[in-house]
Amino acid sequence: MAKREYNFTDIERKWQGFWEGCGLFRVDETSRKEKFYCLVMFPYPSGTLHVGHGRNYIIGDVVSRYKIMKGYNVLSPIGWDAFGLPAENAAIKSGVHPALWTRDNIKAMKRQLQRWGVGYDWDREVTSCNPDYYKWTQWIFLKLYENNLAYKKKAAVNWCPSCATVLANEQVVDGCCERCDTPVRQRDLEQWFFRISQYAQILLDDISLLEGWPERVKTMQANWIGRSEGIRINFTLENSDTIVPCFTTRPDTLYGVTFISLAPEHPFVNELISGSPQEMAIKDFIERARSQGMVERTAEGTEKEGVFTGKYVINPIDKSKVPVWIANYVLMEYGTGAVMGVPAHDQRDFLFARKYHLPVKIVIQPKEGELRADTMNAAYIDNGVQVNSGVFNGMPNTETIRKIPEYLESKGFGAKTVTYRLRDWLISRQRYWGAPIPIVYCEKCGTVPVPESQLPVVLPEKVEFKPHGMSPLAEVDSFINTQCPRCSGAARREIDTMDTFVDSSWYFLRYLSPKEADRPFIPEKVNTWLPVDQYIGGVEHAILHLLYSRFITKVLYDLEYITFKEPFQHLFTQGMIIKDGAKMSKSKGNVVSPDILIDKYGADTQRLYILFIGPPQKDAEWNDRGVLGAYRFLGRLWQKITDYEEVYAKIPGTDISIQKLSNQAKTLYRQTNQTIKKVTEDVETSWHFNTAIASVMELLNNVDLFHVTIPQNTEELDFHVFRHAMETILLLMAPFIPHICEELWEVMGHKPGIFRQPWPTYDKNAIHEEMIEIVIQINSKVRSRLSVPVDMNNDELRRCVLDDERIIALLDGKKIINTVIVPKKLVNIVVK
Ligand code: ANZ
Ligand code: ZN
């Protein structure tokens, strides 16, 4: 018979068709098997996937296939996070409509995913830019609006003059637009917000429910929420009743205040400076500070700048007179927008004071050594003993940090408060390619939500794309002009669209009933299938996407639509694939295209290499030679199995009894069982796919040392051990390299469908370490030898020796006085 070629192109196409045909990834909702919801973050349809993206989907596929073999009812869906800026930028640049651009990209990327052989239930595909999806994104907006969790306010926003759009804080990198690098400015606009701040505490508390999340991500979530316990201390404007509260976490330093600073946006600022001879100069400074952008203003390296208002406040604790400044490093969005300046004990205040020659007053001295205000060159921020602090002198500041607030509260000079860094979620975008916000403005009725029965508010198709500040929707009269849902009078539509993070904050619910026309999701279904058992995605989403999804889940829980409090039980964040020292990106030109590699070596080679490249949680460097190594391994596997293609059918399988095996077969059988144990542990507990694969490679090396003899009858067991080793390799590797394993499984004479096989289990008796030979002496004369496992302890060994038939015969009629054991060598029985 002609040698069978490893024709990966045909093989991969064949098995992809097979899985589709038998519905391997189609969920049977009537199944009684335990459910397993495996979710990969749905991709943004940017055009093409590179091998770096592939890691995410391939890892997800490994988990799904493994769980299928473990007997779970696996749900593995996919969809498209299809709204967003790039589509609109493409429209501006090349005139192609975002809808077309997106649709074509989805088509191309879908093909790529399928070529990798990653399995999804394609019947559940969701696309966030389709009206049947965004209808329900709008519904979510309405629910938030009805419950006072969506509101509109004028707010300073990050504005990119070049992209002509508002940017979220995270889109600002070093004070510049993440996309085009133009310096970001501040601008006031009426914006829609979601009141996520109301959920700050519960989002923080429930981090404790996220058992299966990486510690690092939980810490990032906690830091982003940024709970801070402190006190608002009321400073009073000199000769006035006006109170300026300052939020501080260090009330122990209150006697050290030598100035206070207001944010440039602080509402008192106008009142303070009007009529001042410095008014113009101050206004000028404020304008500059505001144009700096929030991120830059608070960055550590940014110069601390300020201006004196000419006014003073009174420190409530010692009635001292304190100058009022305006400073760039104070943000209106945090605390009270006003800070008490303690240069001796806060580094930013220290730099500020040195720059503007403000006094430095030490109120905490270290236990050892004494600081001097004129010679210190950095703030002293550690603990110590209170000085210059009236009745509190001599106390440790760890004590006054509690006592001073108690005193202030008793006098009505302040109130303890908790502040969060988490800001409300700005969801308005002055963009076309997003879900329209379902709001109408009526002269008579004011702001009116579009009733659910009128959803979706459909995005008009015919619009002009121009790179200027207004949304293209602003010019579509047929969209803007509408009827008031309340009074039927003429009204105007909101023209902002929603942040795409709103689209992605609930998509994992839609997968359970993607075609449901009357509801966003069916409660019974989501309550059965959620929380997601395993979520897989990039660490770049460790903060916002996950936080927003948690928030929306909690809102739906509170509104009693769902019964679970957290959407994602386990989270896995995979590392990036690096090429030539950098993250793969089109602009850097270091992208490795999966298509070329698949044409040349096949999908399994690429999958194997991506999984073998290193622990999946870590970044890994791409190496073209590694791909070749993976290809060669598949070649060897192919060869080893197809070499005996005709034998498998002739010699039917049989149980393996370890006692009857030759020594070399025993060794291979043991190694095979050890490999099952190792791979199962690596996949199940640590996700070390690379070491799992390495141990299978080692097993294949061991098979090479094994002399396969073609048996003449079934009694000859060695061939069965070889067969068992090869079948095990296929089963263990099936989640990683599914196509070739399916093909070879068939070559070995099985009915097609390796994923119908259970995940292999190991023979506990066979797994023991090697046997060694122990010399048995009687009265120091060698009488026998015994083969025992090396890890046998002395007691077991003694029992084993005394139970041995030959020894029993030799000892007949004699009395044992003593047994001397030299571990791993000999047992000497002393008799009389
Ligand atoms: C006086 C003081 C003395 C402070 C000292 C610190 C050390 P966290 O822990 O992050 O919550 N702060 C308050 N509001 C601010 C604002 N709007 N913009 C900028 N900074 C602000 O930080 C709380 C501290 O940050 C507060 O405590 C305040 O400075 C500053 F030795 O008050 B502290
Ligand atoms: Zn009206």
Side-chain angles (χ1 to χ4, degrees), residues 175-312:
C176 295
C177 171
E178 118 188 299
R179 211 167 296 281
C180 70
D181 255 8
T182 310
V184 167
R185 329 202 110 245
Q186 296 271 286
R187 199 168 156 173
D188 276 335
L189 283 177
E190 283 276 324
Q191 307 276 306
W192 283 96
F193 287 84
F194 283 168
R195 217 182 289 281
I196 191 173
S197 62
Q198 193 168 308
Y199 279 73
Q201 189 58 50
I202 189 79
L203 285 166
L204 187 65
D205 290 344
D206 284 357
I207 289 176
S208 67
L209 303 178
L210 306 175
E211 286 159 47
W213 284 39
E215 284 307 317
R216 185 164 72 111
V217 176
K218 291 199 270 188
T219 306
M220 285 160 90
Q221 293 258 314
N223 289 345
W224 190 261
I225 296 166
R227 181 190 157 100
S228 200
E229 284 175 34
I231 178 167
R232 258 166 228 255
I233 300 179
N234 298 330
F235 290 75
T236 318
L237 204 59
E238 191 186 27
N239 305 322
S240 151
D241 294 335
T242 304
I243 285 172
V244 187
C246 295
F247 173 74
T248 181
T249 48
R250 292 291 306 273
D252 52 320
T253 64
L254 183 53
Y255 285 91
V257 173
T258 60
F259 64 95
I260 72 164
S261 292
L262 306 182
E265 302 84 356
H266 199 287
F268 291 161
V269 162
N270 272 334
E271 179 188 332
L272 285 183
I273 61 172
S274 75
S276 148
Q278 297 290 335
E279 187 171 344
M280 283 320 287
I282 296 172
K283 283 207 163 133
D284 210 52
F285 167 78
I286 292 171
E287 221 13 76
R288 256 189 304 127
R290 295 189 51 168
S291 71
Q292 249 179 339
M294 281 179 265
V295 180
E296 190 189 349
R297 264 164 62 179
T298 46
E300 217 176 289
T302 305
E303 178 85 14
K304 315 278 169 273
E305 284 181 277
V307 58
F308 179 44
T309 61
K311 297 281 169 30
Y312 292 85

Side-chain angles (χ1 to χ4, degrees), residues 80 107 189 220 230 247 266 280 429 479 592 596 674:
W80 308 96
K107 225 162 88 194
L189 283 177
M220 285 160 90
F247 173 74
H266 199 287
M280 283 320 287
R429 293 292 180 273
F479 176 78
V592 177
I596 296 169
Q674 286 171 334

